[in-house]
Structure formats: structure tokens, C-alpha cells
């Protein structure tokens, strides 16, 4: 079955790096995503990685994928107070045929000044 | 433009009311989705439309009725809802199968 696990809470100081971790179980997943959700808002697609890649960097964001351990991480460099939000890891299984996302429970990132 | 627009932003309805949620995208995406998000929970898939046809229904109760009038619009018709249906309803779209999905800001629904 599909299951995505995340740690629930992370607190960092402004300017530090944040690392949010995620594990997934579906080895057929083609895309793995990171979404950001601010209070009362929808989901903002931050970045994604194909399951045949190991790393992807996009400005302050770095995604690392360890396929053997089914472990995904999101590193945010120079974290700002505006980065405070809930971050969802999500997988899209290949066998669904669509972008049907299974989300983790979300990691609340709190950035203090 | 990666915008998915949902209206209304907030909706309060009684259990005997009929209302509709609307979702619109002009990115030429051919797959559209409805998700439901309860407070402090992740979104859960409800329906998938592909090329204006219903492709996936995740065993959603019939009091929720989706409709895709054209490739840019997705509606969710609501009738005889229960208070436990109160949630954030999120619409998403993707270009096609297995491509990244973009979400709207959601409609916050409260059933009284």
C-alpha cells in the first residue's frame, strides 16, 4: 500500500538551513513532490523530482532522493520567516495513470527571528 | 501562468441547501482533480477528471456531485451535506497523466 511519513514539526532560526525529511513506500512512484501550505491557503508546488534522479537544486531548495531507502529530503538554505508554513511531501504512483497524490501528514516549519 | 482559480473562497451552508464550488484553469491542462482537506490533515483525493470525463471516484458519497462542463472548468455540486463535511476543498490540474499538479487556493466550506 501507499504510505508517506514525515516528521511533524521543525523549528529553526532565521538564516539557518532547514531539512525536512520524508519516507515513502510505493517503489513505482514516478514523481515525488514538495508542496508548501501557509495558514488558510491552498498548496503551492515548490519542487519535484523524478524517481530516476538523485538530486535537484532550485535556488534555495535542494531535494535529495535515496531510492534504496525510499527517503526524500528538502533542504531550504538561508531560511526566512516567510518560509514558516506546513510542508507536504507527496508521491504520485506510476500505476495510477494520473497525478493522484498521496500526501504525508505535513511538517510544520517554524522560523524564528 | 500556473493559476488555478477557485470560487467562492468561503462558503457557509445549511444541511438542506444546494450549493456549487467552481474551479477554473486556463493552462490547457487536461486533467483536473478535487481534494478534500480536513483541519490539520493532509489533502485526500476525491475525484479525477481526464479529458472532461470522470476517471476516478474515490468512493465519495453521492451528496458530492462533480461536473466538468469543458476543459477549463470543474464544478463540485453539494447537496444535503453533513457538518462533518466541513473542510477545505481544493481543486488541482495537471497537463496530463503523471505531470505536476497545481492547486487552487481552496474553498473553505462550513456546514451548519
Amino acid at each position: 500500500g501507499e504510505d508517506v511519513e514525515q516528521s511533524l514539526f521543525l523549528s529553526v532560526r532565521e538564516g539557518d538551513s532547514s531539512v525536512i525529511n520524508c519516507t515513502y513506500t510505493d517503489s513505482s512512484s514516478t514523481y515525488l513532490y514538495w508542496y508548501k501550505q501557509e495558514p488558510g491557503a491552498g498548496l503551492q508546488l515548490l519542487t519535484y523530482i523524478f524517481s530516476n534522479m538523485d538530486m535537484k537544486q532550485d535556488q534555495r531548495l535542494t531535494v535529495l532522493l535515496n531510492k534504496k531507502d525510499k527517503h526524500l529530503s528538502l533542504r531550504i538554505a538561508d531560511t526566512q520567516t516567510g518560509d514558516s508554513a506546513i510542508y507536504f511531501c507527496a508521491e504520485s504512483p506510476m500505476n495510477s495513470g494520473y497525478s493522484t497524490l498521496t500526501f504525508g501528514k505535513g511538517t510544520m516549519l517554524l522560523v524564528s527571528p | 501562468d500556473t493559476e488555478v482559480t477557485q470560487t467562492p473562497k468561503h462558503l457557509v451552508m445549511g444541511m438542506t441547501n444546494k450549493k456549487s464550488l467552481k474551479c477554473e484553469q486556463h493552462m490547457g491542462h487536461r486533467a483536473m482533480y478535487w481534494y478534500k482537506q480536513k483541519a490539520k490533515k493532509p489533502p485526500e483525493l476525491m475525484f479525477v477528471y481526464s479529458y472532461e470525463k470522470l476517471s476516478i471516484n474515490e468512493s465519495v458519497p453521492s451528496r458530492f456531485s462533480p461536473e466538468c462542463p469543458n476543459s477549463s472548468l470543474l464544478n463540485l455540486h453539494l447537496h444535503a451535506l453533513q457538518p462533518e463535511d466541513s473542510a477545505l476543498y481544493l481543486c488541482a490540474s495537471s497537463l496530463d497523466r503523471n505531470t505536476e499538479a497545481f492547486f487552487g487556493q481552496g474553498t473553505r466550506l462550513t456546514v451548519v
Side-chain angles (χ1 to χ4, degrees):
Chain A
E2 303 161 3
D3 199 10
V4 181
E5 298 286 341
Q6 295 179 243
S7 52
L8 295 182
F9 186 76
L10 176 65
S11 180
V12 301
R13 288 182 178 261
E14 193 172 25
D16 288 350
S17 291
S18 306
V19 179
I20 302 172
N21 295 300
C22 169
T23 57
Y24 60 98
T25 56
D26 192 331
S27 58
S28 73
S29 293
T30 54
Y31 283 74
L32 294 153
Y33 298 89
W34 285 104
Y35 284 89
K36 175 183 179 183
Q37 187 173 37
E38 298 184 31
L43 274 71
Q44 175 191 352
L45 176 64
L46 288 178
T47 188
Y48 61 92
I49 189 168
F50 293 100
S51 54
N52 63 356
M53 295 170 65
D54 296 323
M55 186 185 89
K56 180 178 180 182
Q57 186 156 3
D58 184 0
Q59 298 183 330
R60 291 192 296 126
L61 305 178
T62 303
V63 179
L64 294 177
L65 175 61
N66 180 329
K67 289 185 288 295
K68 175 175 171 289
D69 295 336
K70 296 192 177 68
H71 182 265
L72 182 72
S73 67
L74 174 69
R75 178 177 181 270
I76 305 173
D78 187 23
T79 315
Q80 302 297 306
T81 54
D83 294 324
S84 293
I86 297 176
Y87 290 79
F88 289 100
C89 166
E91 63 175 353
S92 180
M94 179 187 290
N95 59 11
S96 75
Y98 301 97
S99 297
T100 53
L101 300 167
T102 299
F103 290 88
K105 288 183 168 56
T107 299
M108 179 178 289
L109 173 64
L110 180 63
V111 184
S112 53
Chain B
D1 180 13
T2 57
E3 190 169 352
V4 177
T5 304
Q6 290 188 242
T7 54
K9 287 187 169 40
H10 301 275
L11 178 62
V12 179
M13 62 183 291
M15 289 188 283
T16 58
N17 291 158
K18 286 185 181 181
K19 296 286 183 184
S20 297
L21 309 185
K22 182 178 172 181
C23 174
E24 194 166 2
Q25 57 86 14
H26 296 288
M27 296 179 277
H29 288 181
R30 304 317 299 259
M32 296 185 76
Y33 311 79
W34 281 114
Y35 284 81
K36 174 182 177 179
Q37 186 179 23
K38 299 280 283 180
K40 301 188 189 306
K41 298 287 187 183
E44 294 181 339
L45 182 68
M46 300 175 72
F47 301 104
V48 179
Y49 271 82
S50 177
Y51 290 85
E52 301 159 47
K53 290 190 182 347
L54 182 64
S55 300
I56 296 177
N57 175 342
E58 291 287 317
S59 303
V60 179
S62 60
R63 59 186 184 269
F64 295 92
S65 175
E67 179 198 19
C68 190
N70 60 57
S71 59
S72 299
L73 283 176
L74 185 66
N75 298 321
L76 186 62
H77 303 298
L78 314 172
H79 173 55
L81 294 194
Q82 303 297 309
E84 57 266 28
D85 295 322
S86 298
L88 181 68
Y89 288 83
L90 293 161
C91 174
S93 70
S94 65
L95 181 61
D96 207 328
R97 300 177 170 208
N98 288 322
T99 58
E100 60 269 33
F102 296 92
F103 283 80
Q105 289 298 298
T107 293
R108 177 78 56 189
L109 174 69
T110 303
V111 182
V112 297

